[in-house]
Amino acid sequence: MASSSSTKACFQCGDSNSSQFRNGWRLRSGHFAQLCNRCASLYEEGIFCETFHSNDDGWRDCESCGKLVHCGCIVSFLSYMLLDFGGVICMECSRIKFILERKRCLYSETQTGNGEPQGDAARRNQIDPQYWPRVTDLELQQITRETNSVVIPLFEKLLSSSDADHKLARLVIPKKCAEAFFPEIISPHGCPVNIQDTEGKEWEFQFRYWLNSGSKMYVLEGLKDFMVSMQWKAGDIVTFYRVEPEKKLVMGLRKTYAGVPSLKVLD
């Protein structure tokens, strides 16, 4: 007498001996692909395509984090989004980007009155355009993963030869940027400023100024160990942020090697 039901097999590997079958992705028929325990686990962990489709076509880089995303099959259909101007973004970066934008909007609403820019936005308008921060989603994501607060880009500076000189061990801060975003100092000796790196190590620098032809020149001093640790070089870009509501200064370093930027973010 023939069996009334056919033997169930894994949609991917064909295994019919699995003790349990679980739902995978939805098929065009409307039913779910039935997977054995091993294949189902790979699917649920998000590494199905990396395991079975690594040599197939359709792999693209996430425009935000650079992670490889498989865009060539129905299995990974919900793991990425198409961008308006070409390219793709993985769902993790898409969610983080949405949260960042929402935080910035909510923070702006609480800091803006009568539709006029206030605080940081107004001060940024006063600094030279060459120092306006050009921040990527990846930089903000890396900082945000260390804190649930709002990260506000303030300004950036291309490191000169003197900025990267370990003997001088100091960074010249553009005058308008220093007066807009750093603590106010009333004497040339200045005050200490603490900055933490992404590993939680705290660095103490001296923020001060000296007079040059009657104008103040602001500097961060005592950076030698920090420069050696981060391998500062002329041509790298330093970006300053502030974390709200803690009002903690954040410093990021975008490294360049043979013209190719490589990100190193410091909190």
Side-chain angles (χ1 to χ4, degrees), residues 9-255:
C10 175
F11 186 90
Q12 172 61 32
C13 69
D15 179 18
S16 60
N17 297 319
S18 178
S19 60
Q20 181 183 13
F21 289 89
R22 307 205 295 270
N23 288 341
W25 55 92
R26 188 182 292 275
L27 303 173
R28 295 193 179 201
S29 64
H31 298 100
F32 288 96
Q34 296 299 298
L35 303 176
C36 65
N37 280 327
R38 175 177 177 269
C39 293
S41 296
L42 294 172
Y43 175 71
E44 292 165 0
E45 292 171 12
I47 56 174
F48 188 92
C49 288
E50 286 87 338
T51 303
F52 295 112
H53 304 155
S54 59
N55 296 322
D56 294 351
D57 295 332
W59 290 93
R60 302 184 67 181
D61 293 329
C62 170
E63 295 292 333
S64 180
C65 69
K67 171 187 174 182
L68 282 174
V69 180
H70 191 221
C71 306
C73 70
I74 193 172
V75 178
S76 56
F77 181 72
L78 298 178
S79 65
Y80 65 92
M81 292 183 64
L82 297 175
L83 298 175
D84 292 337
F85 299 100
V88 300
I89 184 172
C90 70
M91 291 306 296
E92 180 182 2
C93 288
S94 178
R95 286 191 291 270
I96 294 174
K97 186 174 182 179
F98 173 80
I99 294 171
L100 288 173
E101 291 297 333
R102 185 172 182 273
K103 284 183 177 180
R104 283 200 286 268
C105 288
L106 292 174
Y107 182 77
S108 297
E109 289 175 2
T110 63
Q111 298 298 310
T112 304
N114 301 321
E116 295 297 324
Q118 296 180 357
D120 294 329
R123 289 191 287 270
R124 271 196 300 271
N125 290 335
Q126 298 173 6
I127 66 177
D128 295 334
Q130 64 175 311
Y131 301 123
W132 288 352
R134 298 163 181 83
V135 181
T136 66
D137 290 334
L138 178 58
E139 290 172 293
L140 290 177
Q141 287 173 25
Q142 289 184 336
I143 297 173
T144 303
R145 282 170 183 161
E146 299 299 324
T147 174
N148 291 322
S149 303
V150 178
V151 179
I152 303 172
L154 302 177
F155 68 94
E156 71 177 33
K157 185 193 179 188
L158 184 72
L159 293 181
S160 65
S161 297
S162 62
D163 288 329
D165 190 327
H166 291 185
K167 293 181 180 179
L168 296 175
R170 57 105 176 101
L171 173 67
V172 175
I173 306 296
K175 184 173 185 293
K176 290 183 178 180
C177 299
E179 294 178 346
F181 302 116
F182 275 71
E184 182 179 2
I185 50 178
I186 59 176
S187 70
H189 180 68
C191 65
V193 176
N194 294 324
I195 297 179
Q196 288 185 337
D197 62 27
T198 52
E199 311 233 338
K201 182 177 180 180
E202 187 171 280
W203 304 80
E204 182 177 292
F205 310 123
Q206 187 71 17
F207 176 54
R208 55 163 301 198
Y209 70 84
W210 64 73
L211 294 176
N212 183 15
S213 301
S215 179
K216 293 179 179 178
M217 178 177 288
Y218 293 90
V219 294
L220 276 180
E221 294 183 332
L223 276 71
K224 183 175 181 179
D225 291 342
F226 187 80
M227 289 178 170
V228 172
S229 175
M230 298 299 120
Q231 300 180 355
W232 275 20
K233 294 185 182 299
D236 293 344
I237 297 174
V238 170
T239 305
F240 286 89
Y241 313 80
R242 192 173 62 246
V243 177
E244 294 289 355
E246 298 93 333
K247 299 190 179 301
K248 181 175 67 174
L249 278 176
V250 174
M251 181 163 57
L253 180 66
R254 188 182 304 120
K255 304 240 0 123

